[in-house]
Amino acid sequence: MKLKRKNPLKRYEIYKAIKNGWSFKKILNTFKVSTKTVWDIKRNGFYKSDRTIILVNTIREKYPYFTLKQIKYYLKENYNLDIQISTIYYKTCKTIDRNLYKLIKLLLNDGETEYAVKILEDFLFIQWEYLEVLEKIEDEKLSMSLLADKYYYLLYTGKLTSLNEALVQAENYLKICKDKNLNYSYYKWFNIKIRILQALGKYREVLEIFNYEEIIKLPFNLKSYIFAVVVSCGIKLGDKKAINLLNFYKRRFSSKRNRNSKISKDYKLFLRNQYASLGKFNLALKYMDEPFLHFWIGNYRKFFRIKEELPIEMKIPMEVSLAICYLFSKNFFGFLKIVDRIQHEVKSFPTYSDEVSMVLALKEVFWDNYDNAIEIISKSNSKILRCISNKDYKILSKYRKIELLVKYLLMGNLKRACEIAKKYQMITHLRIYSLLTRKSLKAISRYKVLKTVLYILRNKPRMVKFYFLRKNPIIRLDKKVITSSGRQNDLFALLYY
């Protein structure tokens, strides 16, 4: 029986058997393979790297902006290899599969770290779901490319203890990559750097160090990650040039082939989120009609039906959304319970500090502590929240419909804010910001879309304290004191009240 090289797990089992001193006869009988296969594993090991992939990746590491034709020409000129462009394209897309992932985990558990690293170094791109294996490997054993992947994983799983220290490390690694001409790894670290800056709320700095003419020449896997951060920061700042980069993703999925490709789901998800962030829910729904969008348009029942497990980097946004759903579904106990949990978890996920600040402020509004709410959002990196705390609407962008809505709320034009919310289906945003901008009950009662907000404001919990053992019993309702003469009927009347 010929054992295929595509079955690395079986080959590794044979390798371990050889290493443990098994006889050839026992190996042949146990694994049902040929003598030739056993000899091959004994001489060459259980895993053989693809020489063409290594050559192509070596070229891409040094010249990440090379086209497929340029890689073909470079291979011909420097290695005398004439390889078809279709083959080169296949090699550039090659990454670890499920079997290799299982093998690497097994190697790490068996203490074969160097072998695991050797396999990983064959690939310049590794999917998110397989990055966890890098966490178990020491930094000094990883290449610059794999180390960047490790830090990306640690950043989005909340395992970086200090973002400022991580930013310094990213700067150091960028310099090392530049000195060693590791250009593909350099841009991987550039992606890490701008994502840390984004997590720190330094959106302007991200846009300042971004060079479109430089990044657009890079392979799709690199530039798409970088563009994603720039677009997100551009939306936060109302920067038209950065927002226009969304067209890059729209063009990517203009053909039927790309819309149905495996990777398209991730980027359609990104487009959906960015258009939702802009407040353009009509465009967001064109890419994905999912419960997450229905949450923002005020249809909370659909959002509650989400059963699929989200990746860990979506844990905090999911819980923030659930808390808001409970609040506007009048389940106040559920709202407070989730907010308390988020408050303890946010330190591990600093990327989402703005979202957490918003929901913590809503909690203070719920308890009728507007001053505390304003203090919380004043420390946020979110431009909208800071404008609400300062009551300054002049810097709000006209490109982002959410900011336009807040602008009218701060100007006191609740009617126009409601019209915009209905037009773009920003119902949840309207409810959140009408609470944070402290609109009067009389004004809110005029609009059906704010009926839930009116209910929350009219049914705020109140602190009640009973003092019945005093000579003259009293009830303290918030700051109001209700006195009693001490007679039994009067006392029960107060209790009933």
Side-chain angles (χ1 to χ4, degrees):
M1 176 182 174
K2 185 177 179 181
L3 183 63
K4 295 182 179 180
R5 292 191 180 275
K6 290 184 178 179
N7 192 348
L9 288 169
K10 189 77 172 287
R11 293 178 67 88
Y12 179 57
E13 289 177 12
I14 297 171
Y15 168 82
K16 286 201 296 184
I18 296 170
K19 194 175 179 180
N20 291 330
W22 285 26
S23 67
F24 262 62
K25 185 177 180 181
K26 185 178 179 181
I27 293 172
L28 295 175
N29 291 334
T30 303
F31 296 102
K32 308 298 181 185
V33 292
S34 65
T35 306
K36 183 181 177 182
T37 298
V38 180
W39 274 113
D40 179 51
I41 294 172
K42 186 173 182 179
R43 290 170 180 166
N44 305 313
F46 60 91
Y47 177 82
K48 187 176 180 180
S49 299
D50 187 321
R51 179 172 176 263
T52 307
I53 288 179
I54 293 174
L55 286 175
V56 169
N57 285 342
T58 302
I59 297 167
R60 291 171 73 207
E61 178 65 89
K62 194 173 182 180
Y63 308 103
Y65 46 83
F66 265 18
T67 63
L68 295 177
K69 285 185 179 180
Q70 287 174 313
I71 294 174
K72 175 182 171 66
Y73 179 78
Y74 193 94
L75 287 168
K76 181 68 177 176
E77 287 294 309
N78 294 275
Y79 300 98
N80 197 28
L81 291 174
D82 190 10
I83 302 176
Q84 295 293 327
I85 287 180
S86 58
T87 303
I88 295 172
Y89 174 76
Y90 170 75
K91 302 296 184 183
T92 59
C93 297
K94 190 71 174 174
T95 185
I96 65 173
D97 55 21
R98 191 71 186 170
N99 282 335
L100 267 182
Y101 168 68
K102 290 179 180 177
L103 173 61
I104 291 165
K105 288 186 72 175
L106 194 59
L107 287 167
L108 292 173
N109 289 333
D110 291 347
E112 298 277 3
T113 305
E114 290 183 8
Y115 226 132
V117 172
K118 184 177 179 294
I119 295 171
L120 287 165
E121 285 178 344
D122 285 356
F123 308 99
L124 278 180
F125 173 75
I126 301 173
Q127 304 101 306
W128 167 264
E129 58 265 31
Y130 302 141
L131 290 180
E132 64 169 311
V133 296
L134 297 173
E135 186 181 0
K136 299 178 181 179
I137 304 173
E138 297 87 345
D139 289 4
E140 56 271 14
K141 292 183 179 180
L142 296 172
S143 65
M144 282 292 113
S145 177
L146 292 175
L147 192 57
D149 289 334
K150 178 180 177 178
Y151 269 71
Y152 179 81
Y153 174 79
L154 295 176
L155 176 64
Y156 283 95
T157 51
K159 294 178 181 178
L160 288 180
T161 54
S162 171
L163 288 178
N164 287 309
E165 289 179 11
L167 184 60
V168 172
Q169 286 179 305
E171 293 281 8
N172 291 336
Y173 290 132
L174 279 168
K175 189 176 184 303
I176 292 171
C177 291
K178 201 73 173 176
D179 293 342
K180 293 184 177 181
N181 208 18
L182 302 173
N183 297 316
Y184 192 97
S185 298
Y186 174 87
Y187 287 108
K188 271 191 170 185
W189 278 107
F190 179 79
N191 174 52
I192 300 296
K193 177 183 174 179
I194 61 175
R195 286 173 183 270
I196 294 173
L197 289 171
Q198 181 190 24
L200 291 169
K202 299 180 179 180
Y203 310 126
R204 181 60 61 189
E205 195 170 330
V206 171
L207 299 188
E208 286 173 355
I209 64 175
F210 169 71
N211 186 323
Y212 175 81
E213 286 72 21
E214 176 188 353
I215 303 302
I216 193 64
K217 298 174 184 177
L218 298 174
F220 179 77
N221 284 337
L222 275 178
K223 64 187 174 187
S224 62
Y225 276 82
I226 294 170
F227 281 172
V229 182
V230 175
V231 168
S232 297
C233 292
I235 290 173
K236 297 281 188 182
L237 297 172
D239 188 285
K240 187 177 180 181
K241 288 183 179 179
I243 294 171
N244 285 341
L245 288 177
L246 281 172
N247 293 327
F248 164 79
Y249 297 95
K250 287 175 67 177
R251 289 193 298 270
R252 174 74 180 176
F253 304 108
S254 58
S255 68
K256 184 177 179 181
R257 179 176 66 85
N258 285 334
R259 286 197 302 271
N260 295 331
S261 67
K262 184 180 178 181
I263 199 171
S264 68
K265 184 178 179 181
D266 296 329
Y267 290 99
K268 282 193 284 188
L269 181 66
F270 169 75
L271 280 167
R272 181 206 72 178
N273 290 342
Q274 299 312 313
Y275 280 120
S277 182
L278 281 168
K280 298 181 178 181
F281 290 99
N282 53 335
L283 289 175
L285 284 164
K286 287 183 179 179
Y287 291 97
M288 282 189 178
D289 185 1
E290 290 189 351
F292 183 78
L293 289 178
H294 288 277
F295 158 71
W296 289 113
I297 65 177
N299 189 351
Y300 306 122
R301 289 184 180 179
K302 280 199 173 184
F303 190 78
F304 281 129
R305 292 180 192 144
I306 295 178
K307 293 181 180 179
E308 61 180 350
E309 290 188 8
L310 293 173
I312 191 168
E313 70 271 20
M314 287 298 292
K315 182 180 181 181
I316 292 292
M318 179 67 172
E319 291 196 332
V320 167
S321 301
L322 276 173
I324 295 170
C325 278
Y326 280 126
L327 176 63
F328 294 134
S329 299
K330 304 172 186 177
N331 184 342
F332 300 147
F333 178 76
F335 166 70
L336 294 172
K337 185 178 179 181
I338 292 183
V339 174
D340 286 340
R341 185 165 68 239
I342 294 170
Q343 202 165 359
H344 290 95
E345 293 174 346
V346 68
K347 291 181 180 179
S348 300
F349 297 88
T351 310
Y352 303 109
S353 59
D354 291 342
E355 289 86 345
V356 175
S357 294
M358 180 184 68
V359 80
L360 290 178
L362 287 174
K363 177 186 174 184
E364 294 299 328
V365 171
F366 178 76
W367 289 110
D368 203 20
N369 297 324
Y370 274 96
D371 291 339
N372 292 348
I374 295 300
E375 185 180 351
I376 289 171
I377 61 177
S378 66
K379 298 174 183 177
S380 170
N381 293 316
S382 167
K383 181 168 70 171
I384 289 179
L385 295 180
R386 288 201 314 272
C387 285
I388 291 174
S389 68
N390 299 328
K391 297 182 180 179
D392 178 16
Y393 55 82
K394 293 181 181 179
I395 63 171
L396 293 174
S397 169
K398 64 179 180 179
Y399 301 109
R400 195 179 181 202
K401 303 307 176 185
I402 300 167
E403 292 187 22
L404 188 61
L405 181 148
V406 174
K407 183 176 182 178
Y408 281 113
L409 285 173
L410 290 173
M411 291 171 65
N413 194 341
L414 187 56
K415 180 181 179 182
R416 183 64 181 140
C418 290
E419 289 173 355
I420 291 171
K422 288 179 181 179
K423 182 178 180 181
Y424 296 102
Q425 288 295 290
M426 297 185 292
I427 306 303
T428 300
H429 285 104
L430 175 67
R431 290 170 177 170
I432 291 171
Y433 297 127
S434 61
L435 278 172
L436 293 178
T437 51
R438 197 171 190 175
K439 296 301 170 188
S440 69
L441 293 176
K442 184 178 180 181
I444 288 173
S445 63
R446 296 172 186 159
Y447 304 99
K448 189 177 179 180
V449 71
L450 292 174
K451 188 177 178 180
T452 301
V453 175
L454 185 65
Y455 179 87
I456 293 169
L457 294 174
R458 281 182 172 171
N459 293 275
K460 287 180 181 177
R462 307 182 75 178
M463 182 63 70
V464 182
K465 292 183 179 180
F466 299 93
Y467 300 89
F468 288 154
L469 298 179
R470 296 175 56 166
K471 184 177 180 181
N472 296 313
I474 64 168
I475 294 177
R476 186 180 291 276
L477 186 63
D478 289 334
K479 295 180 180 180
K480 185 179 179 181
V481 177
I482 305 169
T483 60
S484 167
S485 63
R487 290 178 302 192
Q488 190 176 22
N489 60 341
D490 196 4
L491 191 64
F492 279 102
L494 282 174
L495 185 59
Y496 176 78
Y497 175 81

